[in-house]
Amino acid sequence: MQGQALPGFRDFYPDELALRTHIFATWRRVATRYGFEVLDGPPLEPLDLYTQKSGEEIIGQLYEFTDKGDRRVALRPEMTPTLARMVGARAQALKKPIRWFSIPQLFRYERQQRGRLREHFQLNLDLIGEAGPLADAELMAAAVDIMRAFGLGPKDVRLRISDRRVLRALLLGHGVTEAQLPGAFAAIDKSERDPRDVIAQRLTQGGLTDKARDGVFQVAGLKGLNAVNEALAQAGSTDAGEPLSAAVGALDAMGLGDFVDVDLTIVRGLAYYTGIVFELFDAGKSLRAICGGGRYDGLLKALGGVDLPALGFGMGDVVLGELLRERKAVIDPAVRLDAFLVSVSAEDIPAVLKLAHELRDRDVGVEYGLRHAALRKQIELAAARGAPRAIIIGPEERKAGEVVVRDLNAGTEERVPMAKLLNGYFR
Protein backbone atom coordinates (compact mmCIF):
# COMPACT_ATOMS: atom_id res chain seq x y z
CA MET A 1 0.00 0.00 0.00
CA GLN A 2 1.35 3.43 -0.93
CA GLY A 3 1.86 5.82 1.94
CA GLN A 4 0.97 9.03 0.13
CA ALA A 5 -1.16 10.48 -2.64
CA LEU A 6 0.04 10.84 -6.23
CA PRO A 7 2.43 13.76 -6.91
CA GLY A 8 0.49 17.02 -7.09
CA PHE A 9 -2.59 15.58 -5.39
CA ARG A 10 -3.67 16.03 -1.78
CA ASP A 11 -5.07 14.06 1.11
CA PHE A 12 -7.35 16.13 3.32
CA TYR A 13 -7.12 15.07 6.95
CA PRO A 14 -9.88 16.54 9.18
CA ASP A 15 -7.89 19.65 10.21
CA GLU A 16 -6.93 20.35 6.58
CA LEU A 17 -10.46 19.73 5.39
CA ALA A 18 -11.67 22.20 8.02
CA LEU A 19 -9.67 24.92 6.23
CA ARG A 20 -11.07 23.89 2.84
CA THR A 21 -14.60 23.84 4.25
CA HIS A 22 -14.04 27.31 5.68
CA ILE A 23 -12.84 28.58 2.30
CA PHE A 24 -15.79 27.04 0.44
CA ALA A 25 -18.32 28.41 2.93
CA THR A 26 -16.89 31.93 2.63
CA TRP A 27 -16.88 31.74 -1.16
CA ARG A 28 -20.52 30.64 -1.19
CA ARG A 29 -21.60 33.25 1.34
CA VAL A 30 -20.13 36.19 -0.56
CA ALA A 31 -21.18 34.90 -4.00
CA THR A 32 -24.80 34.45 -2.96
CA ARG A 33 -24.74 37.83 -1.20
CA TYR A 34 -23.93 39.30 -4.62
CA GLY A 35 -26.85 37.49 -6.23
CA PHE A 36 -24.85 34.76 -7.99
CA GLU A 37 -26.39 31.32 -8.47
CA VAL A 38 -24.38 28.13 -8.15
CA LEU A 39 -23.94 25.64 -11.00
CA ASP A 40 -21.71 22.68 -11.78
CA GLY A 41 -20.83 20.48 -14.72
CA PRO A 42 -19.18 17.13 -15.37
CA PRO A 43 -15.51 16.68 -14.40
CA LEU A 44 -14.98 14.76 -17.66
CA GLU A 45 -15.52 16.57 -20.97
CA PRO A 46 -14.75 15.95 -24.67
CA LEU A 47 -11.12 16.81 -25.38
CA ASP A 48 -12.01 19.14 -28.24
CA LEU A 49 -13.87 21.43 -25.81
CA TYR A 50 -10.43 22.48 -24.58
CA THR A 51 -8.41 22.26 -27.81
CA GLN A 52 -11.02 24.48 -29.49
CA LYS A 53 -10.26 27.20 -26.95
CA SER A 54 -6.53 26.75 -26.35
CA GLY A 55 -5.19 24.82 -29.34
CA GLU A 56 -3.62 21.36 -29.62
CA GLU A 57 -0.70 22.40 -27.41
CA ILE A 58 -2.99 22.26 -24.36
CA ILE A 59 -3.08 18.44 -24.63
CA GLY A 60 0.32 18.14 -22.96
CA GLN A 61 -1.11 19.82 -19.85
CA LEU A 62 -4.22 17.66 -19.55
CA TYR A 63 -5.20 14.36 -18.03
CA GLU A 64 -6.64 13.03 -21.28
CA PHE A 65 -7.39 9.57 -22.61
CA THR A 66 -9.64 7.57 -24.93
CA ASP A 67 -12.61 6.10 -23.06
CA LYS A 68 -14.31 2.77 -23.62
CA GLY A 69 -16.64 4.38 -26.14
CA ASP A 70 -13.58 5.39 -28.21
CA ARG A 71 -14.11 9.06 -27.32
CA ARG A 72 -11.17 11.35 -26.58
CA VAL A 73 -11.92 12.95 -23.23
CA ALA A 74 -10.13 14.97 -20.54
CA LEU A 75 -10.52 15.79 -16.87
CA ARG A 76 -11.51 19.46 -16.80
CA PRO A 77 -8.54 21.83 -16.44
CA GLU A 78 -10.84 24.86 -16.19
CA MET A 79 -14.54 25.68 -15.97
CA THR A 80 -15.00 28.38 -18.63
CA PRO A 81 -15.49 26.00 -21.63
CA THR A 82 -18.14 24.07 -19.68
CA LEU A 83 -19.79 27.37 -18.72
CA ALA A 84 -19.82 28.47 -22.37
CA ARG A 85 -21.35 25.16 -23.45
CA MET A 86 -24.07 25.40 -20.80
CA VAL A 87 -24.90 29.03 -21.61
CA GLY A 88 -25.04 28.21 -25.33
CA ALA A 89 -27.48 25.37 -24.72
CA ARG A 90 -30.07 27.62 -23.01
CA ALA A 91 -29.08 31.13 -24.06
CA GLN A 92 -32.54 32.19 -25.21
CA ALA A 93 -34.28 31.11 -22.01
CA LEU A 94 -31.77 32.57 -19.55
CA LYS A 95 -32.50 35.97 -18.02
CA LYS A 96 -29.68 38.44 -18.65
CA PRO A 97 -27.38 39.29 -17.08
CA ILE A 98 -26.50 35.78 -15.98
CA ARG A 99 -24.74 35.65 -12.61
CA TRP A 100 -23.28 32.20 -11.98
CA PHE A 101 -20.63 30.74 -9.72
CA SER A 102 -19.12 27.29 -9.29
CA ILE A 103 -16.50 25.55 -7.15
CA PRO A 104 -15.14 22.76 -9.38
CA GLN A 105 -12.12 20.56 -8.82
CA LEU A 106 -9.73 21.13 -11.72
CA PHE A 107 -6.85 19.02 -13.04
CA ARG A 108 -3.70 19.91 -14.97
CA TYR A 109 -0.68 17.75 -15.64
CA GLU A 110 2.08 20.30 -15.12
CA ARG A 111 5.20 20.89 -13.07
CA GLN A 112 4.46 21.37 -9.39
CA GLN A 113 5.66 24.50 -7.65
CA ARG A 114 4.66 26.57 -4.67
CA GLY A 115 1.02 27.55 -5.03
CA ARG A 116 0.45 25.25 -8.02
CA LEU A 117 -0.52 21.57 -7.87
CA ARG A 118 -1.93 19.11 -10.37
CA GLU A 119 -5.38 19.42 -8.85
CA HIS A 120 -7.09 22.21 -7.00
CA PHE A 121 -10.50 23.61 -6.23
CA GLN A 122 -11.42 26.98 -7.66
CA LEU A 123 -14.16 29.52 -7.22
CA ASN A 124 -15.37 30.68 -10.63
CA LEU A 125 -17.54 33.79 -10.66
CA ASP A 126 -18.93 34.85 -14.05
CA LEU A 127 -21.23 37.66 -15.14
CA ILE A 128 -22.66 37.24 -18.64
CA GLY A 129 -24.71 39.60 -20.78
CA GLU A 130 -23.52 43.00 -19.53
CA ALA A 131 -20.94 45.08 -21.40
CA GLY A 132 -20.70 48.16 -19.13
CA PRO A 133 -17.86 48.91 -16.70
CA LEU A 134 -20.13 48.61 -13.65
CA ALA A 135 -20.15 44.87 -14.34
CA ASP A 136 -16.35 44.85 -14.16
CA ALA A 137 -16.48 46.78 -10.90
CA GLU A 138 -19.11 44.41 -9.51
CA LEU A 139 -16.94 41.39 -10.19
CA MET A 140 -13.82 42.97 -8.72
CA ALA A 141 -15.78 44.11 -5.67
CA ALA A 142 -16.88 40.53 -5.07
CA ALA A 143 -13.25 39.37 -5.20
CA VAL A 144 -12.21 42.04 -2.70
CA ASP A 145 -15.17 41.30 -0.42
CA ILE A 146 -14.15 37.65 -0.30
CA MET A 147 -10.78 38.80 1.04
CA ARG A 148 -12.53 41.04 3.56
CA ALA A 149 -14.72 38.13 4.64
CA PHE A 150 -11.51 36.24 5.50
CA GLY A 151 -10.44 39.16 7.67
CA LEU A 152 -7.91 40.56 5.17
CA GLY A 153 -7.56 44.29 4.51
CA PRO A 154 -5.69 46.54 2.06
CA LYS A 155 -2.45 46.02 3.99
CA ASP A 156 -2.81 42.28 3.34
CA VAL A 157 -4.00 42.09 -0.28
CA ARG A 158 -3.91 44.32 -3.36
CA LEU A 159 -6.27 44.40 -6.36
CA ARG A 160 -4.12 45.20 -9.40
CA ILE A 161 -6.16 46.39 -12.39
CA SER A 162 -5.34 47.00 -16.05
CA ASP A 163 -7.20 47.13 -19.36
CA ARG A 164 -6.10 45.54 -22.62
CA ARG A 165 -7.78 48.32 -24.60
CA VAL A 166 -5.59 50.83 -22.78
CA LEU A 167 -2.48 48.73 -23.40
CA ARG A 168 -3.32 48.42 -27.09
CA ALA A 169 -3.85 52.17 -27.53
CA LEU A 170 -0.62 53.08 -25.73
CA LEU A 171 1.51 50.47 -27.48
CA LEU A 172 0.23 51.45 -30.92
CA GLY A 173 1.05 55.05 -30.00
CA HIS A 174 4.66 54.00 -29.36
CA GLY A 175 5.03 52.39 -32.78
CA VAL A 176 4.15 48.78 -31.97
CA THR A 177 2.26 47.27 -34.91
CA GLU A 178 -0.93 45.21 -34.65
CA ALA A 179 1.04 42.08 -35.54
CA GLN A 180 3.56 42.82 -32.78
CA LEU A 181 0.97 43.38 -30.04
CA PRO A 182 0.87 39.76 -28.77
CA GLY A 183 4.64 39.80 -28.27
CA ALA A 184 4.47 43.18 -26.52
CA PHE A 185 1.66 41.95 -24.28
CA ALA A 186 3.70 38.87 -23.37
CA ALA A 187 6.73 41.05 -22.58
CA ILE A 188 4.72 43.30 -20.26
CA ASP A 189 3.13 40.27 -18.62
CA LYS A 190 6.61 38.94 -17.73
CA SER A 191 8.19 42.31 -16.92
CA GLU A 192 8.18 41.64 -13.16
CA ARG A 193 9.62 38.13 -13.47
CA ASP A 194 12.24 38.32 -16.23
CA PRO A 195 15.32 40.60 -16.49
CA ARG A 196 14.92 43.70 -18.60
CA ASP A 197 17.72 42.74 -21.01
CA VAL A 198 16.10 39.36 -21.67
CA ILE A 199 12.76 41.01 -22.43
CA ALA A 200 14.45 43.61 -24.65
CA GLN A 201 16.14 40.87 -26.64
CA ARG A 202 12.81 39.10 -27.18
CA LEU A 203 11.19 42.31 -28.37
CA THR A 204 14.04 43.00 -30.79
CA GLN A 205 13.78 39.46 -32.12
CA GLY A 206 10.07 40.12 -32.58
CA GLY A 207 10.91 42.94 -34.98
CA LEU A 208 10.24 45.95 -32.73
CA THR A 209 12.26 49.08 -33.38
CA ASP A 210 14.32 50.62 -30.57
CA LYS A 211 11.65 53.31 -30.17
CA ALA A 212 8.82 50.78 -29.96
CA ARG A 213 10.81 48.59 -27.56
CA ASP A 214 11.46 51.55 -25.24
CA GLY A 215 7.77 52.38 -25.48
CA VAL A 216 6.86 48.92 -24.21
CA PHE A 217 8.95 49.51 -21.08
CA GLN A 218 7.42 52.97 -20.61
CA VAL A 219 3.92 51.51 -20.74
CA ALA A 220 4.85 48.73 -18.31
CA GLY A 221 6.14 51.36 -15.89
CA LEU A 222 2.89 53.32 -15.67
CA LYS A 223 1.36 53.15 -12.19
CA GLY A 224 -1.86 54.76 -11.03
CA LEU A 225 -4.95 55.95 -12.89
CA ASN A 226 -3.72 59.53 -13.29
CA ALA A 227 -0.48 58.46 -14.94
CA VAL A 228 -2.36 56.13 -17.29
CA ASN A 229 -4.88 58.81 -18.29
CA GLU A 230 -2.10 61.34 -18.89
CA ALA A 231 -0.32 58.88 -21.18
CA LEU A 232 -3.57 58.22 -23.05
CA ALA A 233 -4.12 61.96 -23.48
CA GLN A 234 -0.63 62.34 -24.96
CA ALA A 235 -1.39 59.45 -27.32
CA GLY A 236 -4.73 61.02 -28.31
CA SER A 237 -6.63 57.94 -27.08
CA THR A 238 -8.54 59.14 -24.03
CA ASP A 239 -11.62 57.11 -25.02
CA ALA A 240 -9.71 53.88 -24.44
CA GLY A 241 -9.37 54.73 -20.75
CA GLU A 242 -12.99 55.55 -20.00
CA PRO A 243 -14.09 52.01 -18.96
CA LEU A 244 -11.09 51.65 -16.63
CA SER A 245 -11.74 55.06 -15.05
CA ALA A 246 -15.43 54.22 -14.59
CA ALA A 247 -14.69 50.86 -12.97
CA VAL A 248 -12.09 52.31 -10.60
CA GLY A 249 -14.51 55.14 -9.74
CA ALA A 250 -17.23 52.60 -8.96
CA LEU A 251 -14.91 50.67 -6.63
CA ASP A 252 -14.03 53.91 -4.90
CA ALA A 253 -17.74 54.72 -4.49
CA MET A 254 -18.21 51.31 -2.84
CA GLY A 255 -15.52 52.17 -0.32
CA LEU A 256 -13.02 49.70 -1.77
CA GLY A 257 -10.61 52.18 -3.32
CA ASP A 258 -7.92 51.49 -0.70
CA PHE A 259 -7.46 48.00 -2.16
CA VAL A 260 -6.92 49.20 -5.75
CA ASP A 261 -3.70 49.63 -7.72
CA VAL A 262 -3.94 50.54 -11.41
CA ASP A 263 -0.98 48.61 -12.82
CA LEU A 264 -0.45 48.00 -16.54
CA THR A 265 1.88 45.05 -15.94
CA ILE A 266 -1.29 43.02 -15.34
CA VAL A 267 -2.04 41.55 -18.76
CA ARG A 268 -3.27 37.99 -18.09
CA GLY A 269 -1.55 35.55 -20.40
CA LEU A 270 -4.66 34.25 -22.14
CA ALA A 271 -5.34 35.89 -25.48
CA TYR A 272 -9.13 35.81 -25.16
CA TYR A 273 -9.29 38.70 -22.66
CA THR A 274 -10.69 41.80 -24.35
CA GLY A 275 -10.97 44.58 -21.75
CA ILE A 276 -10.36 45.12 -18.05
CA VAL A 277 -8.17 42.46 -16.45
CA PHE A 278 -7.20 42.13 -12.79
CA GLU A 279 -5.35 40.02 -10.26
CA LEU A 280 -5.34 39.83 -6.47
CA PHE A 281 -1.97 39.47 -4.74
CA ASP A 282 -0.79 39.37 -1.18
CA ALA A 283 0.63 42.81 -0.38
CA GLY A 284 4.17 41.49 -0.05
CA LYS A 285 4.00 39.66 -3.40
CA SER A 286 5.50 36.59 -1.76
CA LEU A 287 2.88 34.27 -3.29
CA ARG A 288 1.43 33.63 -6.72
CA ALA A 289 -1.76 35.48 -7.67
CA ILE A 290 -4.66 34.65 -5.36
CA CYS A 291 -7.21 35.42 -8.05
CA GLY A 292 -7.24 36.49 -11.67
CA GLY A 293 -9.76 37.32 -14.33
CA GLY A 294 -11.26 39.91 -16.60
CA ARG A 295 -13.51 40.56 -19.56
CA TYR A 296 -13.70 37.95 -22.34
CA ASP A 297 -16.40 39.28 -24.66
CA GLY A 298 -15.71 37.03 -27.67
CA LEU A 299 -15.17 33.71 -25.97
CA LEU A 300 -18.78 32.57 -25.57
CA LYS A 301 -19.37 33.00 -29.29
CA ALA A 302 -16.27 30.95 -30.09
CA LEU A 303 -17.08 28.14 -27.65
CA GLY A 304 -20.85 28.19 -27.19
CA GLY A 305 -22.06 29.87 -30.37
CA VAL A 306 -23.72 32.70 -28.44
CA ASP A 307 -22.52 36.28 -28.85
CA LEU A 308 -22.79 37.68 -25.33
CA PRO A 309 -20.40 39.96 -23.44
CA ALA A 310 -18.90 38.20 -20.46
CA LEU A 311 -16.39 38.51 -17.66
CA GLY A 312 -15.26 36.32 -14.81
CA PHE A 313 -12.52 35.34 -12.43
CA GLY A 314 -11.04 32.24 -10.86
CA MET A 315 -9.77 32.00 -7.27
CA GLY A 316 -7.98 28.80 -6.33
CA ASP A 317 -7.84 27.23 -2.90
CA VAL A 318 -4.07 26.49 -2.90
CA VAL A 319 -2.59 30.00 -2.80
CA LEU A 320 -5.50 31.30 -0.72
CA GLY A 321 -4.95 28.49 1.78
CA GLU A 322 -1.26 29.39 2.07
CA LEU A 323 -2.14 33.03 2.69
CA LEU A 324 -4.72 32.19 5.36
CA ARG A 325 -2.28 29.91 7.13
CA GLU A 326 0.38 32.63 7.04
CA ARG A 327 -2.09 35.13 8.51
CA LYS A 328 -3.18 32.52 11.09
CA ALA A 329 -6.82 32.85 10.10
CA VAL A 330 -9.35 31.58 12.63
CA ILE A 331 -10.85 28.39 11.24
CA ASP A 332 -13.96 26.67 12.54
CA PRO A 333 -13.08 23.25 14.02
CA ALA A 334 -13.73 20.19 11.91
CA VAL A 335 -16.09 18.88 14.62
CA ARG A 336 -18.25 21.19 16.69
CA LEU A 337 -19.38 19.49 19.90
CA ASP A 338 -21.82 21.08 22.31
CA ALA A 339 -21.19 18.50 25.01
CA PHE A 340 -19.56 15.20 25.91
CA LEU A 341 -21.72 12.72 27.84
CA VAL A 342 -20.07 10.91 30.75
CA SER A 343 -21.34 7.82 32.59
CA VAL A 344 -20.41 7.38 36.26
CA SER A 345 -20.93 3.60 36.14
CA ALA A 346 -21.48 0.96 33.50
CA GLU A 347 -25.15 0.83 34.55
CA ASP A 348 -25.53 4.46 33.42
CA ILE A 349 -24.60 3.73 29.81
CA PRO A 350 -28.21 3.08 28.61
CA ALA A 351 -29.23 6.48 30.02
CA VAL A 352 -26.26 8.11 28.23
CA LEU A 353 -27.26 6.46 24.93
CA LYS A 354 -30.87 7.60 25.32
CA LEU A 355 -29.86 11.17 26.17
CA ALA A 356 -27.33 11.34 23.32
CA HIS A 357 -29.94 10.36 20.78
CA GLU A 358 -32.53 12.78 22.15
CA LEU A 359 -30.03 15.67 22.04
CA ARG A 360 -28.91 14.81 18.51
CA ASP A 361 -32.55 14.82 17.43
CA ARG A 362 -32.60 18.42 18.71
CA ASP A 363 -29.54 19.29 16.58
CA VAL A 364 -27.18 19.34 19.55
CA GLY A 365 -23.69 17.99 18.82
CA VAL A 366 -22.72 15.39 21.42
CA GLU A 367 -20.27 12.54 21.81
CA TYR A 368 -19.62 9.89 24.45
CA GLY A 369 -17.03 7.22 25.12
CA LEU A 370 -17.67 4.02 23.20
CA ARG A 371 -16.61 1.95 26.19
CA HIS A 372 -16.96 2.66 29.88
CA ALA A 373 -13.89 4.14 31.58
CA ALA A 374 -13.02 5.90 34.78
CA LEU A 375 -14.66 9.29 35.27
CA ARG A 376 -11.30 11.08 35.01
CA LYS A 377 -10.47 9.37 31.71
CA GLN A 378 -13.83 10.35 30.24
CA ILE A 379 -13.37 13.99 31.29
CA GLU A 380 -9.88 14.01 29.73
CA LEU A 381 -11.32 12.64 26.49
CA ALA A 382 -14.05 15.29 26.53
CA ALA A 383 -11.41 18.03 26.82
CA ALA A 384 -9.28 16.47 24.06
CA ARG A 385 -12.28 16.42 21.74
CA GLY A 386 -12.82 20.14 22.30
CA ALA A 387 -16.17 19.84 24.05
CA PRO A 388 -17.01 22.97 26.07
CA ARG A 389 -18.88 20.97 28.72
CA ALA A 390 -19.26 17.48 30.10
CA ILE A 391 -22.71 16.17 31.02
CA ILE A 392 -22.36 13.62 33.79
CA ILE A 393 -24.98 10.95 34.51
CA GLY A 394 -24.78 8.63 37.52
CA PRO A 395 -27.23 6.62 39.62
CA GLU A 396 -28.17 9.65 41.75
CA GLU A 397 -28.77 11.83 38.68
CA ARG A 398 -30.93 9.17 37.02
CA LYS A 399 -33.02 8.85 40.16
CA ALA A 400 -33.49 12.63 40.49
CA GLY A 401 -34.11 13.20 36.77
CA GLU A 402 -31.11 15.50 36.57
CA VAL A 403 -27.62 15.73 35.10
CA VAL A 404 -24.43 17.42 36.26
CA VAL A 405 -23.08 19.91 33.70
CA ARG A 406 -19.39 20.67 34.14
CA ASP A 407 -17.97 23.70 32.29
CA LEU A 408 -14.61 22.39 31.05
CA ASN A 409 -13.20 25.88 30.54
CA ALA A 410 -14.26 27.50 33.82
CA GLY A 411 -14.17 24.32 35.90
CA THR A 412 -17.62 25.04 37.42
CA GLU A 413 -20.53 22.63 37.81
CA GLU A 414 -24.30 22.90 38.03
CA ARG A 415 -27.16 20.47 38.36
CA VAL A 416 -29.69 20.79 35.53
CA PRO A 417 -33.10 19.09 35.33
CA MET A 418 -33.31 16.66 32.42
CA ALA A 419 -36.40 18.43 31.06
CA LYS A 420 -34.53 21.74 30.92
CA LEU A 421 -31.51 20.12 29.25
CA LEU A 422 -33.76 18.79 26.48
CA ASN A 423 -35.83 21.95 26.08
CA GLY A 424 -33.90 25.16 25.61
CA TYR A 425 -30.64 24.66 27.50
CA PHE A 426 -28.49 24.73 24.34
CA ARG A 427 -30.22 27.64 22.61
Side-chain angles (χ1 to χ4, degrees):
M1 180 183 294
Q2 293 185 347
Q4 57 187 14
L6 289 169
F9 289 76
R10 296 170 288 175
D11 294 317
F12 288 93
Y13 289 88
D15 57 335
E16 293 149 347
L17 191 59
L19 174 59
R20 194 183 87 183
T21 301
H22 175 63
I23 289 172
F24 285 14
T26 304
W27 281 347
R28 288 191 178 98
R29 186 168 69 251
V30 177
T32 54
R33 195 166 72 204
Y34 271 71
F36 285 78
E37 298 177 286
V38 67
L39 78 150
D40 199 1
L44 196 68
E45 290 274 22
L47 178 63
D48 60 10
L49 188 67
Y50 305 113
T51 56
Q52 181 183 358
K53 170 176 173 283
S54 303
E56 293 291 324
E57 60 271 16
I58 190 73
I59 293 177
Q61 302 174 30
L62 302 182
Y63 282 90
E64 58 88 19
F65 56 94
T66 300
D67 72 4
K68 293 181 181 180
D70 205 31
R71 292 173 289 259
R72 292 197 71 190
V73 296
L75 290 173
R76 61 187 177 197
E78 59 175 315
M79 191 66 180
T80 305
T82 298
L83 174 82
R85 176 176 59 75
M86 292 174 68
V87 170
R90 297 188 181 181
Q92 297 302 317
L94 294 170
K95 183 69 175 176
K96 316 303 185 298
I98 302 164
R99 303 165 78 102
W100 282 353
F101 81 95
S102 59
I103 307 177
Q105 187 175 21
L106 306 177
F107 306 86
R108 279 186 183 265
Y109 192 84
E110 56 187 357
R111 185 170 62 87
Q112 303 167 69
Q113 47 191 298
R114 187 185 182 194
R116 176 174 287 180
L117 301 174
R118 289 176 175 173
E119 60 80 22
H120 71 283
F121 293 88
Q122 179 170 294
L123 170 68
N124 289 276
L125 210 68
D126 293 271
L127 207 163
I128 300 162
E130 178 53 60
L134 286 185
D136 299 86
E138 176 84 340
L139 206 69
M140 291 186 284
V144 170
D145 276 347
I146 288 170
M147 297 297 101
R148 293 176 64 232
F150 285 119
L152 303 173
K155 292 182 179 180
D156 301 303
V157 293
R158 305 302 303 169
L159 178 69
R160 300 168 67 187
I161 309 174
S162 182
D163 192 321
R164 285 199 168 207
R165 292 162 295 197
V166 169
L167 284 168
R168 180 180 180 277
L170 292 175
L171 290 171
L172 292 176
H174 281 287
V176 178
T177 66
E178 287 279 357
Q180 294 168 340
L181 281 175
F185 280 177
I188 293 173
D189 188 44
K190 296 178 179 178
S191 61
E192 289 189 334
R193 301 188 294 275
D194 294 348
R196 182 184 175 106
D197 59 338
V198 172
I199 295 173
Q201 184 178 8
R202 289 179 191 151
L203 291 172
T204 300
Q205 291 172 346
L208 273 72
T209 64
D210 290 349
K211 176 180 179 296
R213 184 191 62 202
D214 292 343
V216 171
F217 288 112
Q218 288 180 34
V219 171
L222 292 172
K223 306 292 182 184
L225 187 60
N226 290 338
V228 170
N229 284 335
E230 287 174 7
L232 286 169
Q234 291 174 8
S237 302
T238 54
D239 289 353
E242 289 178 359
L244 180 62
S245 294
V248 171
L251 288 168
D252 192 52
M254 296 177 197
L256 301 176
D258 288 345
F259 286 87
V260 174
D261 296 321
V262 173
D263 183 346
L264 296 191
T265 62
I266 301 301
V267 178
R268 303 291 294 156
L270 300 171
Y272 58 72
Y273 285 112
T274 58
I276 289 175
V277 288
F278 60 92
E279 293 181 351
L280 266 171
F281 283 88
D282 66 291
K285 297 183 183 178
S286 63
L287 301 171
R288 301 175 65 87
I290 304 163
C291 159
R295 181 167 286 281
Y296 53 90
D297 283 345
L299 189 61
L300 289 182
K301 184 177 182 181
L303 294 180
V306 178
D307 192 7
L308 287 171
L311 60 155
F313 72 74
M315 181 182 294
D317 72 313
V318 178
V319 176
L320 178 57
E322 287 194 29
L323 180 62
L324 294 177
R325 281 188 286 267
E326 282 186 2
R327 298 297 191 276
K328 294 180 171 55
V330 176
I331 308 300
D332 288 339
V335 176
R336 183 179 295 279
L337 290 177
D338 295 299
F340 193 99
L341 307 190
V342 175
S343 57
V344 174
S345 68
E347 289 74 24
D348 302 313
I349 290 177
V352 165
L353 296 176
K354 182 176 185 295
L355 177 59
H357 201 262
E358 289 175 332
L359 288 172
R360 287 167 176 169
D361 277 349
R362 289 161 171 79
D363 205 29
V364 177
V366 299
E367 190 179 331
Y368 52 86
L370 297 178
R371 63 177 64 185
H372 182 67
L375 187 65
R376 177 179 59 83
K377 289 289 187 181
Q378 293 183 70
I379 296 295
E380 288 175 354
L381 180 57
R385 295 294 289 157
R389 59 182 68 84
I391 298 176
I392 303 169
I393 301 177
E396 293 182 8
E397 287 75 31
R398 284 192 285 122
K399 184 176 181 180
E402 296 178 337
V403 297
V404 173
V405 179
R406 179 180 297 183
D407 187 317
L408 296 178
N409 296 313
T412 58
E413 288 186 354
E414 63 173 328
R415 300 186 74 86
V416 178
M418 185 71 73
K420 179 179 178 181
L421 189 76
L422 293 171
N423 296 285
Y425 183 83
F426 290 95
R427 290 175 187 168

